[in-house]
PDB file of all heavy atoms in Angstrom:
ATOM      1  N   GLY A 331       0.811  -1.263   0.036  1.00 98.00           N
ATOM      2  CA  GLY A 331      -0.011   0.049  -0.014  1.00 98.00           C
ATOM      3  C   GLY A 331       0.809   1.324   0.060  1.00 98.00           C
ATOM      4  O   GLY A 331       2.007   1.278  -0.014  1.00 98.00           O
ATOM      5  N   SER A 332       0.111   2.427   0.154  1.00 98.00           N
ATOM      6  CA  SER A 332       0.742   3.651   0.042  1.00 98.00           C
ATOM      7  C   SER A 332       0.305   4.556   1.179  1.00 98.00           C
ATOM      8  O   SER A 332      -0.813   4.375   1.698  1.00 98.00           O
ATOM      9  CB  SER A 332       0.466   4.408  -1.252  1.00 98.00           C
ATOM     10  OG  SER A 332       1.012   3.634  -2.369  1.00 98.00           O
ATOM     11  N   LEU A 333       1.155   5.470   1.615  1.00 98.00           N
ATOM     12  CA  LEU A 333       0.883   6.593   2.640  1.00 98.00           C
ATOM     13  C   LEU A 333       1.616   7.807   2.108  1.00 98.00           C
ATOM     14  O   LEU A 333       2.713   7.781   1.545  1.00 98.00           O
ATOM     15  CB  LEU A 333       1.311   6.122   3.953  1.00 98.00           C
ATOM     16  CG  LEU A 333       0.361   5.266   4.843  1.00 98.00           C
ATOM     17  CD1 LEU A 333       1.124   4.920   6.077  1.00 98.00           C
ATOM     18  CD2 LEU A 333      -0.995   5.865   5.102  1.00 98.00           C
ATOM     19  N   ARG A 334       1.057   8.986   2.558  1.00 98.00           N
ATOM     20  CA  ARG A 334       1.722  10.203   2.331  1.00 98.00           C
ATOM     21  C   ARG A 334       1.860  10.903   3.602  1.00 98.00           C
ATOM     22  O   ARG A 334       0.908  11.193   4.289  1.00 98.00           O
ATOM     23  CB  ARG A 334       0.914  11.095   1.271  1.00 98.00           C
ATOM     24  CG  ARG A 334       1.724  12.345   0.907  1.00 98.00           C
ATOM     25  CD  ARG A 334       0.755  13.258   0.121  1.00 98.00           C
ATOM     26  NE  ARG A 334       1.392  14.217  -0.588  1.00 98.00           N
ATOM     27  CZ  ARG A 334       0.965  15.496  -0.867  1.00 98.00           C
ATOM     28  NH1 ARG A 334      -0.240  15.743  -0.381  1.00 98.00           N
ATOM     29  NH2 ARG A 334       1.635  16.413  -1.574  1.00 98.00           N
ATOM     30  N   LEU A 335       3.073  11.203   3.979  1.00 98.00           N
ATOM     31  CA  LEU A 335       3.313  12.096   5.196  1.00 98.00           C
ATOM     32  C   LEU A 335       3.599  13.402   4.941  1.00 98.00           C
ATOM     33  O   LEU A 335       4.133  13.834   3.758  1.00 98.00           O
ATOM     34  CB  LEU A 335       4.646  11.592   5.922  1.00 98.00           C
ATOM     35  CG  LEU A 335       4.589   9.960   6.305  1.00 98.00           C
ATOM     36  CD1 LEU A 335       5.920   9.742   7.133  1.00 98.00           C
ATOM     37  CD2 LEU A 335       3.383   9.721   7.065  1.00 98.00           C
ATOM     38  N   SER A 336       3.166  14.405   5.722  1.00 98.00           N
ATOM     39  CA  SER A 336       3.352  15.821   5.669  1.00 98.00           C
ATOM     40  C   SER A 336       4.081  16.300   6.892  1.00 98.00           C
ATOM     41  O   SER A 336       3.726  15.909   7.944  1.00 98.00           O
ATOM     42  CB  SER A 336       2.036  16.476   5.337  1.00 98.00           C
ATOM     43  OG  SER A 336       1.411  16.085   4.224  1.00 98.00           O
ATOM     44  N   CYS A 337       4.766  17.311   6.786  1.00 98.00           N
ATOM     45  CA  CYS A 337       5.374  18.093   7.892  1.00 98.00           C
ATOM     46  C   CYS A 337       5.447  19.592   7.688  1.00 98.00           C
ATOM     47  O   CYS A 337       5.982  19.978   6.580  1.00 98.00           O
ATOM     48  CB  CYS A 337       6.748  17.521   8.126  1.00 98.00           C
ATOM     49  SG  CYS A 337       7.709  18.385   9.421  1.00 98.00           S
ATOM     50  N   THR A 338       4.949  20.382   8.375  1.00 96.00           N
ATOM     51  CA  THR A 338       4.988  21.836   8.156  1.00 96.00           C
ATOM     52  C   THR A 338       5.705  22.464   9.387  1.00 96.00           C
ATOM     53  O   THR A 338       5.550  22.188  10.615  1.00 96.00           O
ATOM     54  CB  THR A 338       3.403  22.335   8.236  1.00 96.00           C
ATOM     55  OG1 THR A 338       2.715  21.792   7.176  1.00 96.00           O
ATOM     56  CG2 THR A 338       3.461  23.823   8.109  1.00 96.00           C
ATOM     57  N   ALA A 339       6.583  23.363   9.001  1.00 95.00           N
ATOM     58  CA  ALA A 339       7.375  24.028   9.847  1.00 95.00           C
ATOM     59  C   ALA A 339       6.892  25.464  10.178  1.00 95.00           C
ATOM     60  O   ALA A 339       6.345  26.077   9.262  1.00 95.00           O
ATOM     61  CB  ALA A 339       8.903  24.129   9.345  1.00 95.00           C
ATOM     62  N   SER A 340       7.050  25.965  11.338  1.00 91.00           N
ATOM     63  CA  SER A 340       6.610  27.303  11.788  1.00 91.00           C
ATOM     64  C   SER A 340       7.608  27.815  12.756  1.00 91.00           C
ATOM     65  O   SER A 340       8.381  27.087  13.324  1.00 91.00           O
ATOM     66  CB  SER A 340       5.188  27.212  12.325  1.00 91.00           C
ATOM     67  OG  SER A 340       5.085  26.450  13.511  1.00 91.00           O
ATOM     68  N   GLY A 341       7.610  29.113  13.040  1.00 89.00           N
ATOM     69  CA  GLY A 341       8.465  29.830  13.978  1.00 89.00           C
ATOM     70  C   GLY A 341       9.701  30.481  13.201  1.00 89.00           C
ATOM     71  O   GLY A 341       9.542  30.982  12.109  1.00 89.00           O
ATOM     72  N   SER A 342      10.871  30.485  13.895  1.00 82.00           N
ATOM     73  CA  SER A 342      11.968  31.287  13.423  1.00 82.00           C
ATOM     74  C   SER A 342      12.765  30.321  12.358  1.00 82.00           C
ATOM     75  O   SER A 342      13.749  29.837  12.731  1.00 82.00           O
ATOM     76  CB  SER A 342      12.835  31.678  14.564  1.00 82.00           C
ATOM     77  OG  SER A 342      12.130  32.420  15.447  1.00 82.00           O
ATOM     78  N   ILE A 343      12.142  30.285  11.312  1.00 78.00           N
ATOM     79  CA  ILE A 343      12.778  29.330  10.120  1.00 78.00           C
ATOM     80  C   ILE A 343      13.813  30.067   9.419  1.00 78.00           C
ATOM     81  O   ILE A 343      13.583  31.071   8.899  1.00 78.00           O
ATOM     82  CB  ILE A 343      11.720  28.858   9.299  1.00 78.00           C
ATOM     83  CG1 ILE A 343      10.558  28.174   9.962  1.00 78.00           C
ATOM     84  CG2 ILE A 343      12.311  27.885   8.294  1.00 78.00           C
ATOM     85  CD1 ILE A 343       9.255  27.912   9.179  1.00 78.00           C
ATOM     86  N   PHE A 344      15.032  29.506   9.412  1.00 74.00           N
ATOM     87  CA  PHE A 344      16.131  30.046   8.614  1.00 74.00           C
ATOM     88  C   PHE A 344      15.751  29.768   7.114  1.00 74.00           C
ATOM     89  O   PHE A 344      15.300  28.633   6.835  1.00 74.00           O
ATOM     90  CB  PHE A 344      17.396  29.302   8.935  1.00 74.00           C
ATOM     91  CG  PHE A 344      18.618  29.949   8.221  1.00 74.00           C
ATOM     92  CD1 PHE A 344      19.018  31.199   8.472  1.00 74.00           C
ATOM     93  CD2 PHE A 344      19.295  29.152   7.282  1.00 74.00           C
ATOM     94  CE1 PHE A 344      20.033  31.799   7.837  1.00 74.00           C
ATOM     95  CE2 PHE A 344      20.354  29.689   6.575  1.00 74.00           C
ATOM     96  CZ  PHE A 344      20.764  31.044   6.951  1.00 74.00           C
ATOM     97  N   SER A 345      15.751  30.733   6.232  1.00 73.00           N
ATOM     98  CA  SER A 345      15.349  30.705   5.016  1.00 73.00           C
ATOM     99  C   SER A 345      15.837  29.466   4.120  1.00 73.00           C
ATOM    100  O   SER A 345      15.240  28.970   3.388  1.00 73.00           O
ATOM    101  CB  SER A 345      15.401  31.993   4.195  1.00 73.00           C
ATOM    102  OG  SER A 345      16.757  32.403   4.154  1.00 73.00           O
ATOM    103  N   ILE A 346      17.164  29.305   4.281  1.00 81.00           N
ATOM    104  CA  ILE A 346      17.797  28.275   3.502  1.00 81.00           C
ATOM    105  C   ILE A 346      17.923  26.981   4.448  1.00 81.00           C
ATOM    106  O   ILE A 346      18.715  27.070   5.430  1.00 81.00           O
ATOM    107  CB  ILE A 346      19.200  28.661   2.967  1.00 81.00           C
ATOM    108  CG1 ILE A 346      19.065  30.025   2.188  1.00 81.00           C
ATOM    109  CG2 ILE A 346      19.800  27.585   2.121  1.00 81.00           C
ATOM    110  CD1 ILE A 346      18.214  29.853   0.936  1.00 81.00           C
ATOM    111  N   ASN A 347      17.284  25.979   4.116  1.00 90.00           N
ATOM    112  CA  ASN A 347      17.324  24.780   5.054  1.00 90.00           C
ATOM    113  C   ASN A 347      17.090  23.591   4.247  1.00 90.00           C
ATOM    114  O   ASN A 347      16.685  23.503   3.176  1.00 90.00           O
ATOM    115  CB  ASN A 347      16.371  24.865   6.195  1.00 90.00           C
ATOM    116  CG  ASN A 347      14.897  25.103   5.693  1.00 90.00           C
ATOM    117  OD1 ASN A 347      14.386  24.129   4.941  1.00 90.00           O
ATOM    118  ND2 ASN A 347      14.266  26.267   5.747  1.00 90.00           N
ATOM    119  N   THR A 348      17.460  22.380   4.943  1.00 95.00           N
ATOM    120  CA  THR A 348      17.231  21.105   4.423  1.00 95.00           C
ATOM    121  C   THR A 348      16.182  20.434   5.277  1.00 95.00           C
ATOM    122  O   THR A 348      16.233  20.547   6.476  1.00 95.00           O
ATOM    123  CB  THR A 348      18.486  20.307   4.407  1.00 95.00           C
ATOM    124  OG1 THR A 348      19.407  20.733   3.381  1.00 95.00           O
ATOM    125  CG2 THR A 348      18.087  18.850   3.965  1.00 95.00           C
ATOM    126  N   MET A 349      15.100  19.947   4.638  1.00 96.00           N
ATOM    127  CA  MET A 349      13.987  19.287   5.451  1.00 96.00           C
ATOM    128  C   MET A 349      14.046  17.764   4.969  1.00 96.00           C
ATOM    129  O   MET A 349      14.396  17.319   3.950  1.00 96.00           O
ATOM    130  CB  MET A 349      12.681  19.772   5.159  1.00 96.00           C
ATOM    131  CG  MET A 349      12.569  21.204   5.701  1.00 96.00           C
ATOM    132  SD  MET A 349      10.855  21.927   5.628  1.00 96.00           S
ATOM    133  CE  MET A 349      10.031  20.964   6.852  1.00 96.00           C
ATOM    134  N   GLY A 350      13.659  16.913   5.885  1.00 97.00           N
ATOM    135  CA  GLY A 350      13.740  15.461   5.597  1.00 97.00           C
ATOM    136  C   GLY A 350      12.875  14.655   6.639  1.00 97.00           C
ATOM    137  O   GLY A 350      12.353  15.148   7.500  1.00 97.00           O
ATOM    138  N   TRP A 351      13.071  13.354   6.419  1.00 98.00           N
ATOM    139  CA  TRP A 351      12.367  12.331   7.196  1.00 98.00           C
ATOM    140  C   TRP A 351      13.480  11.242   7.695  1.00 98.00           C
ATOM    141  O   TRP A 351      14.263  10.794   6.883  1.00 98.00           O
ATOM    142  CB  TRP A 351      11.242  11.600   6.496  1.00 98.00           C
ATOM    143  CG  TRP A 351      10.168  12.565   6.126  1.00 98.00           C
ATOM    144  CD1 TRP A 351      10.001  13.349   4.982  1.00 98.00           C
ATOM    145  CD2 TRP A 351       9.064  12.837   6.883  1.00 98.00           C
ATOM    146  NE1 TRP A 351       8.817  14.023   5.050  1.00 98.00           N
ATOM    147  CE2 TRP A 351       8.283  13.765   6.267  1.00 98.00           C
ATOM    148  CE3 TRP A 351       8.525  12.416   8.248  1.00 98.00           C
ATOM    149  CZ2 TRP A 351       7.006  14.285   6.704  1.00 98.00           C
ATOM    150  CZ3 TRP A 351       7.343  12.790   8.681  1.00 98.00           C
ATOM    151  CH2 TRP A 351       6.618  13.834   7.925  1.00 98.00           C
ATOM    152  N   TYR A 352      13.401  10.924   8.892  1.00 98.00           N
ATOM    153  CA  TYR A 352      14.051   9.794   9.514  1.00 98.00           C
ATOM    154  C   TYR A 352      13.216   8.858  10.150  1.00 98.00           C
ATOM    155  O   TYR A 352      12.090   9.275  10.412  1.00 98.00           O
ATOM    156  CB  TYR A 352      15.140  10.342  10.588  1.00 98.00           C
ATOM    157  CG  TYR A 352      16.232  11.211   9.954  1.00 98.00           C
ATOM    158  CD1 TYR A 352      16.089  12.452   9.484  1.00 98.00           C
ATOM    159  CD2 TYR A 352      17.574  10.732   9.881  1.00 98.00           C
ATOM    160  CE1 TYR A 352      17.045  13.227   8.852  1.00 98.00           C
ATOM    161  CE2 TYR A 352      18.572  11.414   9.364  1.00 98.00           C
ATOM    162  CZ  TYR A 352      18.285  12.672   8.874  1.00 98.00           C
ATOM    163  OH  TYR A 352      19.322  13.381   8.275  1.00 98.00           O
ATOM    164  N   ARG A 353      13.601   7.772  10.385  1.00 98.00           N
ATOM    165  CA  ARG A 353      12.679   6.683  11.072  1.00 98.00           C
ATOM    166  C   ARG A 353      13.352   5.833  12.042  1.00 98.00           C
ATOM    167  O   ARG A 353      14.639   5.670  11.911  1.00 98.00           O
ATOM    168  CB  ARG A 353      12.009   5.823  10.028  1.00 98.00           C
ATOM    169  CG  ARG A 353      12.931   4.810   9.365  1.00 98.00           C
ATOM    170  CD  ARG A 353      12.192   4.160   8.169  1.00 98.00           C
ATOM    171  NE  ARG A 353      12.986   3.131   7.522  1.00 98.00           N
ATOM    172  CZ  ARG A 353      12.656   2.490   6.497  1.00 98.00           C
ATOM    173  NH1 ARG A 353      11.332   2.715   5.951  1.00 98.00           N
ATOM    174  NH2 ARG A 353      13.468   1.622   5.838  1.00 98.00           N
ATOM    175  N   GLN A 354      12.618   5.388  13.001  1.00 98.00           N
ATOM    176  CA  GLN A 354      13.301   4.478  14.070  1.00 98.00           C
ATOM    177  C   GLN A 354      12.352   3.391  14.453  1.00 98.00           C
ATOM    178  O   GLN A 354      11.188   3.674  14.833  1.00 98.00           O
ATOM    179  CB  GLN A 354      13.659   5.291  15.246  1.00 98.00           C
ATOM    180  CG  GLN A 354      14.447   4.617  16.287  1.00 98.00           C
ATOM    181  CD  GLN A 354      15.041   5.453  17.417  1.00 98.00           C
ATOM    182  OE1 GLN A 354      14.569   6.585  17.617  1.00 98.00           O
ATOM    183  NE2 GLN A 354      16.111   4.949  18.031  1.00 98.00           N
ATOM    184  N   ALA A 355      12.820   2.199  14.103  1.00 96.00           N
ATOM    185  CA  ALA A 355      12.064   0.981  14.499  1.00 96.00           C
ATOM    186  C   ALA A 355      12.464   0.557  15.919  1.00 96.00           C
ATOM    187  O   ALA A 355      13.594   0.821  16.321  1.00 96.00           O
ATOM    188  CB  ALA A 355      12.215   0.002  13.507  1.00 96.00           C
ATOM    189  N   PRO A 356      11.601  -0.207  16.622  1.00 92.00           N
ATOM    190  CA  PRO A 356      12.028  -0.759  17.896  1.00 92.00           C
ATOM    191  C   PRO A 356      13.368  -1.477  17.917  1.00 92.00           C
ATOM    192  O   PRO A 356      13.556  -2.418  17.027  1.00 92.00           O
ATOM    193  CB  PRO A 356      10.833  -1.640  18.254  1.00 92.00           C
ATOM    194  CG  PRO A 356       9.675  -1.099  17.520  1.00 92.00           C
ATOM    195  CD  PRO A 356      10.272  -0.594  16.243  1.00 92.00           C
ATOM    196  N   GLY A 357      14.305  -1.064  18.744  1.00 94.00           N
ATOM    197  CA  GLY A 357      15.496  -1.779  18.978  1.00 94.00           C
ATOM    198  C   GLY A 357      16.483  -1.423  17.907  1.00 94.00           C
ATOM    199  O   GLY A 357      17.569  -1.933  17.797  1.00 94.00           O
ATOM    200  N   LYS A 358      16.260  -0.405  16.987  1.00 96.00           N
ATOM    201  CA  LYS A 358      17.131  -0.024  16.104  1.00 96.00           C
ATOM    202  C   LYS A 358      17.449   1.455  16.119  1.00 96.00           C
ATOM    203  O   LYS A 358      16.753   2.216  16.775  1.00 96.00           O
ATOM    204  CB  LYS A 358      16.519  -0.310  14.651  1.00 96.00           C
ATOM    205  CG  LYS A 358      16.422  -1.797  14.242  1.00 96.00           C
ATOM    206  CD  LYS A 358      15.836  -2.007  12.823  1.00 96.00           C
ATOM    207  CE  LYS A 358      15.761  -3.406  12.515  1.00 96.00           C
ATOM    208  NZ  LYS A 358      15.435  -3.688  11.095  1.00 96.00           N
ATOM    209  N   GLU A 359      18.520   1.814  15.510  1.00 97.00           N
ATOM    210  CA  GLU A 359      18.934   3.196  15.563  1.00 97.00           C
ATOM    211  C   GLU A 359      18.077   4.064  14.519  1.00 97.00           C
ATOM    212  O   GLU A 359      17.597   3.541  13.538  1.00 97.00           O
ATOM    213  CB  GLU A 359      20.466   3.343  15.179  1.00 97.00           C
ATOM    214  CG  GLU A 359      21.419   2.799  16.195  1.00 97.00           C
ATOM    215  CD  GLU A 359      22.826   3.078  15.919  1.00 97.00           C
ATOM    216  OE1 GLU A 359      23.129   3.671  14.788  1.00 97.00           O
ATOM    217  OE2 GLU A 359      23.660   2.776  16.695  1.00 97.00           O
ATOM    218  N   ARG A 360      18.075   5.361  14.779  1.00 97.00           N
ATOM    219  CA  ARG A 360      17.314   6.196  13.787  1.00 97.00           C
ATOM    220  C   ARG A 360      18.096   6.294  12.415  1.00 97.00           C
ATOM    221  O   ARG A 360      19.430   6.398  12.479  1.00 97.00           O
ATOM    222  CB  ARG A 360      17.128   7.615  14.408  1.00 97.00           C
ATOM    223  CG  ARG A 360      16.283   8.479  13.618  1.00 97.00           C
ATOM    224  CD  ARG A 360      15.951   9.778  14.400  1.00 97.00           C
ATOM    225  NE  ARG A 360      15.200   9.629  15.639  1.00 97.00           N
ATOM    226  CZ  ARG A 360      14.838  10.583  16.404  1.00 97.00           C
ATOM    227  NH1 ARG A 360      14.945  11.901  15.989  1.00 97.00           N
ATOM    228  NH2 ARG A 360      14.193  10.350  17.486  1.00 97.00           N
ATOM    229  N   GLU A 361      17.385   6.150  11.439  1.00 97.00           N
ATOM    230  CA  GLU A 361      18.115   6.215  10.054  1.00 97.00           C
ATOM    231  C   GLU A 361      17.498   7.212   9.039  1.00 97.00           C
ATOM    232  O   GLU A 361      16.242   7.483   9.243  1.00 97.00           O
ATOM    233  CB  GLU A 361      18.029   4.786   9.454  1.00 97.00           C
ATOM    234  CG  GLU A 361      16.640   4.296   9.165  1.00 97.00           C
ATOM    235  CD  GLU A 361      16.590   3.013   8.265  1.00 97.00           C
ATOM    236  OE1 GLU A 361      17.758   2.466   8.153  1.00 97.00           O
ATOM    237  OE2 GLU A 361      15.611   2.504   7.960  1.00 97.00           O
ATOM    238  N   LEU A 362      18.166   7.691   8.112  1.00 98.00           N
ATOM    239  CA  LEU A 362      17.746   8.589   7.126  1.00 98.00           C
ATOM    240  C   LEU A 362      16.690   7.738   6.283  1.00 98.00           C
ATOM    241  O   LEU A 362      17.062   6.763   5.698  1.00 98.00           O
ATOM    242  CB  LEU A 362      18.834   9.143   6.358  1.00 98.00           C
ATOM    243  CG  LEU A 362      18.458   9.907   5.074  1.00 98.00           C
ATOM    244  CD1 LEU A 362      17.775  11.233   5.508  1.00 98.00           C
ATOM    245  CD2 LEU A 362      19.573  10.099   4.146  1.00 98.00           C
ATOM    246  N   VAL A 363      15.594   8.440   6.031  1.00 98.00           N
ATOM    247  CA  VAL A 363      14.701   7.933   4.995  1.00 98.00           C
ATOM    248  C   VAL A 363      14.872   8.790   3.743  1.00 98.00           C
ATOM    249  O   VAL A 363      15.160   8.265   2.652  1.00 98.00           O
ATOM    250  CB  VAL A 363      13.213   8.104   5.422  1.00 98.00           C
ATOM    251  CG1 VAL A 363      12.274   7.579   4.319  1.00 98.00           C
ATOM    252  CG2 VAL A 363      12.997   7.231   6.716  1.00 98.00           C
ATOM    253  N   ALA A 364      14.676  10.035   3.806  1.00 98.00           N
ATOM    254  CA  ALA A 364      14.910  10.917   2.699  1.00 98.00           C
ATOM    255  C   ALA A 364      15.078  12.348   3.219  1.00 98.00           C
ATOM    256  O   ALA A 364      14.427  12.671   4.204  1.00 98.00           O
ATOM    257  CB  ALA A 364      13.745  10.873   1.679  1.00 98.00           C
ATOM    258  N   ARG A 365      15.789  13.214   2.477  1.00 98.00           N
ATOM    259  CA  ARG A 365      15.912  14.677   2.718  1.00 98.00           C
ATOM    260  C   ARG A 365      16.075  15.405   1.371  1.00 98.00           C
ATOM    261  O   ARG A 365      16.303  14.924   0.361  1.00 98.00           O
ATOM    262  CB  ARG A 365      17.061  14.996   3.618  1.00 98.00           C
ATOM    263  CG  ARG A 365      18.444  14.479   3.053  1.00 98.00           C
ATOM    264  CD  ARG A 365      19.482  14.574   4.099  1.00 98.00           C
ATOM    265  NE  ARG A 365      20.788  14.013   3.586  1.00 98.00           N
ATOM    266  CZ  ARG A 365      21.736  13.660   4.349  1.00 98.00           C
ATOM    267  NH1 ARG A 365      21.752  13.892   5.614  1.00 98.00           N
ATOM    268  NH2 ARG A 365      22.874  13.130   3.825  1.00 98.00           N
ATOM    269  N   ILE A 366      15.618  16.757   1.570  1.00 98.00           N
ATOM    270  CA  ILE A 366      15.634  17.554   0.395  1.00 98.00           C
ATOM    271  C   ILE A 366      16.117  18.908   0.645  1.00 98.00           C
ATOM    272  O   ILE A 366      15.732  19.469   1.668  1.00 98.00           O
ATOM    273  CB  ILE A 366      14.130  17.545  -0.251  1.00 98.00           C
ATOM    274  CG1 ILE A 366      14.185  18.224  -1.634  1.00 98.00           C
ATOM    275  CG2 ILE A 366      13.119  18.053   0.671  1.00 98.00           C
ATOM    276  CD1 ILE A 366      12.817  18.051  -2.423  1.00 98.00           C
ATOM    277  N   THR A 367      16.916  19.472  -0.143  1.00 96.00           N
ATOM    278  CA  THR A 367      17.498  20.719   0.089  1.00 96.00           C
ATOM    279  C   THR A 367      16.573  21.908  -0.331  1.00 96.00           C
ATOM    280  O   THR A 367      15.440  21.592  -0.908  1.00 96.00           O
ATOM    281  CB  THR A 367      18.675  21.041  -0.759  1.00 96.00           C
ATOM    282  OG1 THR A 367      18.399  21.052  -2.207  1.00 96.00           O
ATOM    283  CG2 THR A 367      19.807  19.897  -0.441  1.00 96.00           C
ATOM    284  N   TRP A 368      16.815  23.049   0.129  1.00 93.00           N
ATOM    285  CA  TRP A 368      15.975  24.167  -0.255  1.00 93.00           C
ATOM    286  C   TRP A 368      15.798  24.382  -1.840  1.00 93.00           C
ATOM    287  O   TRP A 368      14.708  24.575  -2.338  1.00 93.00           O
ATOM    288  CB  TRP A 368      16.566  25.475   0.208  1.00 93.00           C
ATOM    289  CG  TRP A 368      15.783  26.726  -0.015  1.00 93.00           C
ATOM    290  CD1 TRP A 368      15.952  27.627  -0.996  1.00 93.00           C
ATOM    291  CD2 TRP A 368      14.741  27.213   0.643  1.00 93.00           C
ATOM    292  NE1 TRP A 368      15.024  28.591  -1.060  1.00 93.00           N
ATOM    293  CE2 TRP A 368      14.205  28.392   0.010  1.00 93.00           C
ATOM    294  CE3 TRP A 368      13.918  26.759   1.777  1.00 93.00           C
ATOM    295  CZ2 TRP A 368      13.172  29.142   0.512  1.00 93.00           C
ATOM    296  CZ3 TRP A 368      12.895  27.430   2.209  1.00 93.00           C
ATOM    297  CH2 TRP A 368      12.549  28.728   1.621  1.00 93.00           C
ATOM    298  N   GLY A 369      16.795  23.860  -2.486  1.00 94.00           N
ATOM    299  CA  GLY A 369      16.667  24.042  -3.977  1.00 94.00           C
ATOM    300  C   GLY A 369      16.068  22.834  -4.568  1.00 94.00           C
ATOM    301  O   GLY A 369      15.894  22.693  -5.822  1.00 94.00           O
TER     302      GLY A 369
END
């Protein structure tokens, strides 16, 4: 199947930033899923 995650930032956001997703399963370390630059 499929899912779509969303994440909205607010507050004192530096204009140039990288946003992304990490995940952590039980008993495992947090790992990179995906990230995307401002560009």
